[in-house]
Amino acid sequence: MPDMEISEVLVQPYMLRAIAGIILIAINASVAGSFTIFRNVSFLVAGASHSALAGAALFILLGVYGFPANPLIGALLFAIATAFVAGYASKEETNTAIGISFAMSMSLAILFISMIREYAAKVWSLLIGDLFLLTYEDLYLITFVTFLSLMIALLFYKAFLFISFDSEGATAFGLNTRRYNYLLLSLIAISAVMLLKGVGAILVFAMLVAPAAASNELASNLRDVFIYAFIIALVSGFVGIAISFFFEVSPGAIASLLATTIYFFSLLARRFRGD
Amino acid sequence: MVKGKNEKEDIEIDAITSKGVEFGYGEQPVLFDITFTIKKEEFVAITGPNGSGKTTLLKLILGILQPRKGEIRVMGYSTKERDKIMNLIGFMPQKEHISSNFPILVRDVVMLGLGARKGIMKPTGKADEEEGIQAIKSVGLDEEIWMEKFAELSGGQQQRVLLARALAIKPEILLLDEPFNGVDIPSQNKILDLISDLRKKGVTVLLVVHNVNPLLHHIDKIMLLKNRIVAFGKPDEVLTDKNLISAYGASIPIIYCEEGYAHPVYSDIHG
């Protein structure tokens, strides 16, 4: 690769797809990531992305048995199921409920993989992910879903904010808190699935939660949380691609490493600022 | 506060009436045999031990929960007609139940209340913002606080911002859940002064508190709960040894202050 000019590399289809992938990831990290922090459900991102693996494995298994279906659809269904389990559980039990459905999904994922050993690599690729292996079909789906969640977040922005801040008050002021809660948790779970192919289930948490967590420390108002989260995710992603071009390492790993490092520095910055 | 909002205004309507209300999450009722009337412009404290059903009663009045027996009416409307009663009641939740680990501004908090009342998906404009700022001033806070982070305010200021959010919608009835938890004495007094002003403007005020002492000199009536109404009436009639024993299951010493009010000394009876 390094014998090509930079300008040549930048227009390679796989590179363009990776760049588009990063931009879409940054939008999800801004919208769903920020609401994950506001609603205080970061564990849902870990739970949903791993549950998604079981869904993908199941759909790959179905394909082997003659029912072809896109594994990402299976991933979406399982992630949304986790969101509903989290929404159904009471506030104190949310994390336990997510953890148990996380564990159950991983058991199912491993069970399904053991039944289709020859296709196991397909499932494992979702565990690790690769920005350079995104297909046009993946990108179309991710673009469509990201656009849809952006619209939902804009439309229900105030309701999502109200239930995150004060769900009791939101109910008293006449909001259907339960319904908005399910919708918001599903939105977060769906975003987690959108990052699956690009960065893999293991690193979804880092790319979806860390940028918003960092910007939440730095921002002085809500709008800035969304803007900074977008910038942090975008810069992390581009640096990941750039470094992986010169050294043969995973771009997702570099991006996640950078995003999580920025979080720790933002914590320090806030301490030093003294608030 | 707002006259003519309710077409039933002409006939003298009570603020809140409850008839034979029973409610429970399981078989065991949390509240039973709840019958009372709160008149307009009254200032009432609901008190009782932990688990006595205080907050449940608030939720029934708000229409968040529905009684399994009996009926509650708010300004003449059944609590089943939530859209109607929502516009009449301002609610201030317990500060402890709020999560503000993100840079939500005072403006955002107050505007959420106004926005919810307007229809949560409709945009709020300059006029709404003006109302919000007025509400902030009306609770004795500085206008500058409008653009500050809610999380960085003191407990007393946060409580007053939540009160402003409830007042911004110009309610006829104000419900406050434990308004004095984590609030310093000067802020408590400011909130009490404000409530006195509101009553002069015709607002009915209902508070849930585990400790009635800060309120005793201000309230008209106390409702002592222990899953049923142990006593409801003027503070001195309610705070008797007999009533306190039947509510708390133990004798609570009563001290009479210089002005002659009976103050129960709860010590560690409360959780």
Side-chain angles (χ1 to χ4, degrees), chain A residues 37-40 91 155-159 161-162 164-175 180 215-222 225 270 273 275, chain B residues 62 64 82 86 91 93-94 97-105 108-109 112-113 115-117 119-124 149-150 152 162 165-166 169 177:
Chain A
I37 299 298
F38 299 167
R39 183 67 187 75
N40 201 10
K91 207 172 178 182
L155 196 61
F156 298 112
Y157 174 76
K158 279 188 276 183
L161 189 62
F162 208 157
S164 303
F165 174 68
D166 162 22
S167 67
E168 200 180 311
T171 313
F173 275 81
L175 260 62
Y180 286 121
S215 79
N216 190 54
E217 296 296 323
L218 303 170
S220 54
N221 59 55
L222 294 172
V225 177
R270 189 165 162 178
R273 241 178 21 204
D275 52 44
Chain B
L62 282 161
I64 294 171
R82 272 204 85 194
M86 284 291 80
F91 173 70
Q94 287 191 40
H97 295 176
I98 275 171
S99 117
S100 59
N101 187 31
F102 50 97
I104 189 166
L105 306 181
D108 301 320
V109 174
L112 280 179
R117 201 46 47 93
I120 198 77
M121 273 140 75
K122 288 185 190 145
T124 44
K149 285 187 199 174
F150 181 81
E152 287 172 3
L162 294 174
R165 183 181 73 178
I169 62 158
D177 194 1

Side-chain angles (χ1 to χ4, degrees), chain B residues 45 89 102 125 175 245-246 250 254:
Chain B
I89 304 178
F102 50 97
L175 301 186
I245 288 174
S246 72
I254 295 170

Side-chain angles (χ1 to χ4, degrees), chain A residues 113-205:
Chain A
I113 290 167
S114 70
M115 292 163 75
I116 42 163
R117 289 189 192 283
E118 59 274 37
Y119 297 94
K122 262 180 120 173
V123 183
W124 291 129
S125 76
L126 290 175
L127 195 63
I128 307 293
D130 194 332
L131 279 166
F132 291 126
L133 293 182
L134 288 174
T135 63
Y136 282 116
E137 201 192 341
D138 294 334
L139 280 181
Y140 294 146
L141 182 71
I142 298 172
T143 307
F144 174 71
V145 175
T146 302
F147 180 75
L148 202 68
S149 22
L150 188 61
M151 288 300 114
I152 292 173
L154 283 173
L155 196 61
F156 298 112
Y157 174 76
K158 279 188 276 183
F160 289 164
L161 189 62
F162 208 157
I163 65 164
S164 303
F165 174 68
D166 162 22
S167 67
E168 200 180 311
T171 313
F173 275 81
L175 260 62
N176 191 332
T177 307
R178 232 177 151 62
R179 195 189 297 160
Y180 286 121
N181 192 37
Y182 279 123
L183 187 62
L184 177 57
L185 297 181
S186 303
L187 185 93
I188 292 168
I190 289 168
S191 278
V193 177
M194 291 304 104
L195 268 66
L196 208 55
K197 262 211 120 170
V199 297
I202 298 176
L203 295 181
V204 165
F205 190 86

Side-chain angles (χ1 to χ4, degrees), chain B residues 22-32 34 51-54 56-57 68 226-228:
Chain B
E22 182 177 312
F23 178 84
Y25 296 96
E27 246 177 60
Q28 191 73 16
V30 177
L31 288 171
F32 59 94
I34 303 293
S52 59
K54 303 186 291 272
T56 303
L57 182 56
R68 63 185 183 199
K226 172 66 186 167
N227 310 104
R228 63 186 174 86

Side-chain angles (χ1 to χ4, degrees), chain A residues 43-44 46-48 50-52 54 78 81-83 85-86 89 92-109:
Chain A
F43 193 42
L44 173 62
H50 285 81
S51 301
F78 270 59
T82 304
V85 170
E92 298 77 28
E93 294 163 332
T94 306
N95 280 342
T96 309
I98 295 170
I100 302 293
S101 59
F102 186 148
M104 186 184 176
S105 305
M106 288 313 281
S107 319
L108 286 173

